[in-house]
């Protein structure tokens, strides 16, 4: 079922989203060549716990860490390990937190030092596609209007949309209905209503849309080995339009 959240519930979701946004802000200064990915994960967990919250991914379906860290051709769900970041990589960092029973989910892709123009543009267009998708999240539109916008926009640059993974409702669980694909025809699926909270998260590939899963059972990577970018916001749908909860400005309305 799709939940309609009260104003109070949206505040609680917003609080968890702020913690995640602050976590990624905090991590951003450590995203540089030589940093071990596992150290990013430890910093994130400490920070989230210091906010009185809990890392939402740790233990979820058996996932072992606080962050999903996905480098270059890794699309999402990379497991933090001892690898060190290298100049020229792009690094998707996805983070979730739960406080007082409500969840926030947010991801950004960062550049490690100087990256190629090709990767920089992929990041930029993926981030813009998220904002365009969010713009469709208004009462009366359909869930698929979001994905249709994202797909139309990124395919115009020759990029492709991952099909196997999608955005989702969020609130008292990390993943709730409805699923929010990043592709599709307009006017399909659920009608968006005031009070719905959803995470929109385009995963956009430089090359083919196909992906494969590593033998660790988690890491998703592009089938052709080309780079992929991922940005995610948790938003609330309101009569005044979408509100992005996973950024600082949301805190004061
Ligand atoms: Mg996420
Ligand atoms: Mg998500």
């Amino acid at each position: 079922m799709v939940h309609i959240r009260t104003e109070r519930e949206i505040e609680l979701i917003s609080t968890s989203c702020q913690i995640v946004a602050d976590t990624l802000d905090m991590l951003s200064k450590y995203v540089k060549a030589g940093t071990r990915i596992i150290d990013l994960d430890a910093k994130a967990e400490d920070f989230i716990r210091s906010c009185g919250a809990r890392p939402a991914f740790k233990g979820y379906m058996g996932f072992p860490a606080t962050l999903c860290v996905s480098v270059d051709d890794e699309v999402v769900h990379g497991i933090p390990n001892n690898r060190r970041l290298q100049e020229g990589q792009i690094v998707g960092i996805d983070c979730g937190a739960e406080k007082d029973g409500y969840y926030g989910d947010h991801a950004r892709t960062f550049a490690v030092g100087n990256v190629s123009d090709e990767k920089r543009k992929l990041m930029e267009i993926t981030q813009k596609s998220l904002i365009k998708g969010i713009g469709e999240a208004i009462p009366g539109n359909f869930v698929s209007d979001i994905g249709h916008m994202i797909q139309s926009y990124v395919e115009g640059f020759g990029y492709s949309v991952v099909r196997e993974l999608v955005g989702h409702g969020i609130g008292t669980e990390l993943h709730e209905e409805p699923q929010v694909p990043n592709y599709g025809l307009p006017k399909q699926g659920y009608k968006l209503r005031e009070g719905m909270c959803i995470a929109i998260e385009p995963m956009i590939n430089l090359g083919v849309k196909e992906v494969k899963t590593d033998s660790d059972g988690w890491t998703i990577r592009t089938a052709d080995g080309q780079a992929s970018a991922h940005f995610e916001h948790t938003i609330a749908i309101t009569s005044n339009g979408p509100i992005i909860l996973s950024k600082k400005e949301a805190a004061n309305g």
Side-chain angles (χ1 to χ4, degrees):
M1 81 180 258
V2 172
H3 293 274
I4 300 299
R5 302 296 177 183
T6 63
E7 258 181 54
R8 176 61 187 148
E9 286 185 293
I10 291 172
E11 277 177 25
L12 289 163
I13 295 166
S14 179
T15 297
S16 293
C17 287
Q18 296 302 310
I19 292 168
V20 178
D22 289 344
T23 304
L24 293 192
D25 285 349
M26 179 278 294
L27 289 177
S28 63
K29 61 177 174 289
Y30 300 106
V31 178
K32 57 186 184 191
T35 297
R36 288 193 313 169
I37 293 174
I38 198 140
D39 293 335
L40 293 176
D41 194 72
K43 285 183 192 335
E45 179 167 3
D46 287 350
F47 184 84
I48 290 168
R49 294 197 190 280
S50 77
C51 298
R54 177 181 73 80
F57 299 170
K58 200 163 194 174
Y60 183 82
M61 313 268 285
F63 190 78
T66 293
L67 303 175
C68 295
V69 181
S70 308
V71 178
D72 283 344
D73 65 318
E74 296 166 5
V75 178
V76 285
H77 301 170
I79 299 174
N81 58 19
N82 277 321
R83 284 185 300 173
R84 290 181 189 276
L85 297 177
Q86 294 173 28
E87 177 88 11
Q89 290 177 330
I90 60 171
V91 184
I93 302 184
D94 193 349
C95 186
E98 174 263 317
K99 186 176 162 88
D100 299 329
Y102 288 82
Y103 286 84
D105 191 3
H106 173 44
R108 302 178 202 162
T109 299
F110 297 88
V112 182
N114 289 313
V115 303
S116 67
D117 290 346
E118 197 177 45
K119 287 181 182 175
R120 188 165 294 285
K121 187 172 174 197
L122 174 69
M123 291 170 57
E124 179 193 317
I125 299 304
T126 303
Q127 188 168 22
K128 282 187 179 165
S129 78
L130 170 58
I131 300 305
K132 285 183 171 287
I134 291 170
E136 296 298 306
I138 54 177
N141 267 4
F142 290 79
V143 165
S144 74
D145 292 329
I146 297 168
H148 182 69
M149 171 59 82
I150 291 168
Q151 180 182 17
S152 307
Y153 181 67
V154 304
E155 287 183 353
F157 294 89
Y159 302 143
S160 62
V161 176
V162 172
R163 306 296 206 265
E164 285 82 352
L165 300 130
V166 298
H168 49 91
I170 180 166
T172 47
E173 310 229 26
L174 179 60
H175 296 132
E176 299 179 353
E177 287 187 76
Q179 293 200 345
V180 184
N182 299 299
Y183 64 95
L185 299 170
K187 306 218 174 299
Q188 315 280 311
Y190 284 97
K191 201 175 223 183
L192 300 173
R193 284 187 290 154
E194 191 179 348
M196 286 174 66
C197 289
I198 57 174
I200 304 176
E201 48 179 317
M203 288 150 261
I204 306 302
N205 296 351
L206 203 48
V208 300
K209 66 180 185 301
E210 284 76 19
V211 296
K212 55 189 180 183
T213 307
D214 279 6
S215 57
D216 64 17
W218 282 104
T219 312
I220 308 286
R221 65 177 72 236
T222 59
D224 63 4
Q226 295 203 68
S228 184
H230 178 219
F231 285 86
E232 175 178 24
H233 273 309
T234 295
I235 67 155
I237 296 169
T238 78
S239 56
N240 295 320
I243 298 176
I244 299 177
L245 303 177
S246 45
K247 66 176 187 186
K248 281 204 164 58
E249 300 87 277
N252 300 312

